[in-house]
Amino acid sequence: MKNFFDELKWRGMIHDVTPGTEEELGKGPMSAYVGIDPTGDSLHIGHLVSIMILKHFQACGNKPYALVGGATGMIGDPSMKSQERNLLDEETLEHNVKCIKEQLGRFLDFGSDAPNKAELVNNYDWMKDYTFINFTRDIGKLITVNYMMSKDSVKKRLSRDSSEGMSFTEFTYQLLQGYDFLYLYQHHNVRLQLGGADQWGNITTGTELIRRTCGGEAFALTCPLITKADGGKFGKTEKGNIWLDPERTSPYQFYQFWLNVSDEDAEKYIKIFTMLDREVIESAIAEHREDPGQRRLQKLLAKEITVMVHGESEYENALKASQMLFGKATADDLRSLDEKTFLAVFDGVPTFEIGKSKLPMNILDALAVETSVFPSKGEARKMIQGNGFSINKEKRTDPNGSLSEADIIDGKYILAQKGKKDYYIIIVK
């Protein structure tokens, strides 16, 4: 069994730890938790670092708890936020919790009979009947305002030039998160909380609460906030977050995100976001450095994480789709793509429309009269005769041929290709 602390250390996944944490982990199996606020109905890759830490924790023989914050999600964590978040209603939160549970099941073993099987808990279960009076009497008196004000998440919000300031609701967030730790400590013997570096203040409020309430000793371990080598925000693209939900971010787009990371980021990410052994990773990095142009490291990273999140078959589909633009994809490969992936692969290419009633149509008329794939029939004829033109990944060499309904993909698309790189979509209506 691997040593959890050592495993995280070589992967670059440790930012801060409380004194004695490493020694405590070395004594044998522990229980630890990561908290996730269900502010949406899908996790995104910004959540993955904490989830991967929990996955490693379980792989090293420990018992992981995933806490979905049905209660704290109603308030919103002020950490790293410049303004207060919208409060969610109970129905929305219930839906979000259900979706997140399903996604977490791809990373953690919840269903086996192993003593260290993962447990999923929802802090709404123990907060819903806890009255405000009782909470402030039992918990509020144990943590001073001075202590709460000293937290970076609070100081940063209060130091900004903002007329809105910080509500009492958000100010109390760290007490609620601290109580989560206390509750899990008392009822499930959870003595370690894991999370991102931005959670350090909230987590240590929990360890302090445990100490002051029952004289217990609890521990904290945080991972660094992930950054990109160019200084850009990790997990963000022009179109927004990279989600784990395939309806929000298709497996193809998900795969492409990892495939297109820089060499420097690939060396860092493959340690953080895969379960590959150290020897395999170091060998892959060395091989990549010998010939970076092959992008072997990015391909390995993209494969491992796409399989983990979406499964082997979706990875194969994403790989097939990726080869559509640059590889040796076939007409059958093209027709096997679902519409969403097809449109994602050819996002941004010029599009034209043709009425279905006009088919069949002479190919030269279709390409140079009805559409502007070619500026003239003469140029179209020349490229077709020169074996440089394809419809749906199949060469067309007869300028007297036609486009017909048989060429339509997904009931409405025809893909035209000039040379190796110029694509056009003809939408048939």
Side-chain angles (χ1 to χ4, degrees):
M1 193 71 71
K2 292 179 181 177
N3 179 286
F4 173 67
F5 195 89
D6 291 344
E7 188 72 12
L8 291 195
K9 195 171 183 179
W10 78 260
R11 290 178 184 271
M13 296 174 75
I14 294 179
H15 186 267
D16 279 317
V17 290
T18 49
T21 303
E22 182 178 2
E23 293 75 11
E24 197 67 23
L25 283 163
K27 293 177 182 178
M30 285 182 73
S31 294
Y33 88 97
V34 164
I36 300 168
D37 274 347
T39 49
D41 60 3
S42 173
L43 302 171
H44 53 73
I45 61 175
H47 294 106
L48 275 184
V49 187
S50 295
I51 295 171
M52 289 303 297
I53 286 184
L54 212 54
K55 186 173 177 65
H56 282 294
F57 188 72
Q58 186 174 38
C60 292
N62 302 289
K63 187 174 181 68
Y65 284 78
L67 183 148
V68 182
T72 41
M74 291 182 171
I75 293 174
D77 181 3
S79 302
M80 306 296 285
K81 304 292 187 298
S82 59
Q83 59 186 12
E84 189 157 344
R85 298 191 297 201
N86 293 330
L87 305 186
L88 302 178
D89 59 65
E90 196 170 331
E91 185 180 345
T92 302
L93 279 165
E94 190 176 330
H95 167 73
N96 292 352
V97 168
K98 181 181 176 182
C99 295
I100 289 171
K101 280 182 182 179
E102 186 178 327
Q103 291 183 342
L104 287 172
R106 302 174 198 169
F107 300 90
L108 301 170
D109 169 22
F110 288 99
S112 76
D113 295 328
N116 70 323
K117 75 171 185 176
E119 305 283 351
L120 194 136
V121 292
N122 184 345
N123 61 15
Y124 184 71
D125 293 337
W126 56 81
M127 289 303 304
K128 62 184 177 183
D129 297 322
Y130 206 165
T131 67
F132 178 75
I133 291 175
N134 287 338
F135 184 81
T136 52
R137 184 192 63 191
D138 299 342
I139 305 302
K141 68 177 182 180
L142 298 174
I143 302 293
T144 66
V145 171
N146 298 44
Y147 180 86
M148 295 171 72
M149 292 283 286
S150 71
K151 300 296 184 179
D152 284 343
S153 60
V154 175
K155 287 195 291 188
K156 286 177 181 176
R157 279 292 297 278
L158 294 177
S159 66
R160 290 191 178 97
D161 292 327
S162 171
S163 58
E164 295 181 8
M166 183 182 195
S167 71
F168 174 75
T169 303
E170 276 198 316
F171 183 61
T172 58
Y173 185 92
Q174 62 175 289
L175 281 184
L176 291 170
Q177 185 169 329
Y179 180 69
D180 286 343
F181 201 174
L182 173 62
Y183 183 91
L184 292 175
Y185 178 90
Q186 291 176 326
H187 293 84
H188 298 280
N189 194 32
V190 173
R191 293 182 295 123
L192 173 64
Q193 186 178 167
L194 309 165
D198 59 317
Q199 291 296 306
W200 182 254
N202 293 335
I203 294 173
T204 52
T205 296
T207 61
E208 184 67 9
L209 201 53
I210 289 167
R211 185 185 69 80
R212 295 186 183 187
T213 301
C214 47
E217 187 176 24
F219 304 90
L221 186 154
T222 61
C223 55
L225 296 180
I226 304 302
T227 56
K228 289 168 64 178
D230 64 5
K233 189 171 183 180
F234 169 74
K236 288 280 190 179
T237 67
E238 291 179 3
K239 296 183 177 181
N241 283 323
I242 302 297
W243 299 94
L244 305 194
D245 182 351
E247 294 302 314
R248 292 193 181 201
T249 300
S250 71
Y252 166 75
Q253 292 166 322
F254 186 86
Y255 176 79
Q256 284 291 316
F257 172 82
W258 300 101
L259 193 64
N260 290 318
V261 301
S262 69
D263 291 346
E264 186 177 342
D265 286 335
E267 291 193 13
K268 179 169 65 173
Y269 295 166
I270 200 162
K271 297 174 184 176
I272 296 171
F273 297 110
T274 78
M275 297 295 287
L276 295 171
D277 290 339
R278 184 171 190 170
E279 296 76 16
V280 174
I281 289 177
E282 289 178 348
S283 173
I285 290 174
E287 189 176 318
H288 174 80
R289 287 177 177 176
E290 289 179 7
D291 187 3
Q294 294 294 319
R295 299 184 72 77
R296 290 189 182 95
L297 198 59
Q298 284 90 340
K299 290 174 183 176
L300 180 60
L301 168 67
K303 175 184 178 180
E304 289 294 318
I305 196 163
T306 302
V307 169
M308 182 162 52
V309 172
H310 294 295
E312 190 78 38
S313 63
E314 289 292 358
Y315 159 71
E316 294 292 345
N317 290 337
L319 184 62
K320 193 162 37 179
S322 297
Q323 293 170 339
M324 203 61 62
L325 293 176
F326 310 108
K328 297 179 179 179
T330 65
D332 288 341
D333 291 337
L334 179 65
R335 290 181 181 276
S336 72
L337 299 181
D338 60 83
E339 182 179 14
K340 189 173 183 179
T341 303
F342 174 84
L343 294 175
V345 171
F346 298 103
D347 183 36
V349 309
T351 60
F352 304 98
E353 291 184 6
I354 288 182
K356 185 181 281 190
S357 62
K358 293 184 178 182
L359 299 179
M361 178 188 295
N362 174 268
I363 195 165
L364 298 182
D365 288 334
L367 299 175
V369 179
E370 287 292 321
T371 71
S372 303
V373 173
F374 287 95
S376 68
K377 287 186 178 182
E379 190 170 325
R381 179 182 289 105
K382 182 178 179 182
M383 182 166 275
I384 290 172
Q385 290 175 331
N387 203 33
F389 180 77
S390 299
I391 289 290
N392 299 335
K393 289 292 178 179
E394 292 180 327
K395 292 289 184 183
R396 293 292 178 94
T397 57
D398 181 7
N400 297 315
S402 63
L403 284 188
S404 70
E405 289 190 26
D407 295 313
I408 301 174
I409 297 171
D410 269 331
K412 60 180 172 181
Y413 302 110
I414 296 174
L415 181 69
Q417 181 180 354
K418 294 190 328 191
K420 291 183 177 181
K421 296 181 179 179
D422 293 333
Y423 290 92
Y424 305 84
I425 293 176
I426 299 172
I427 302 173
V428 182
K429 290 192 170 182

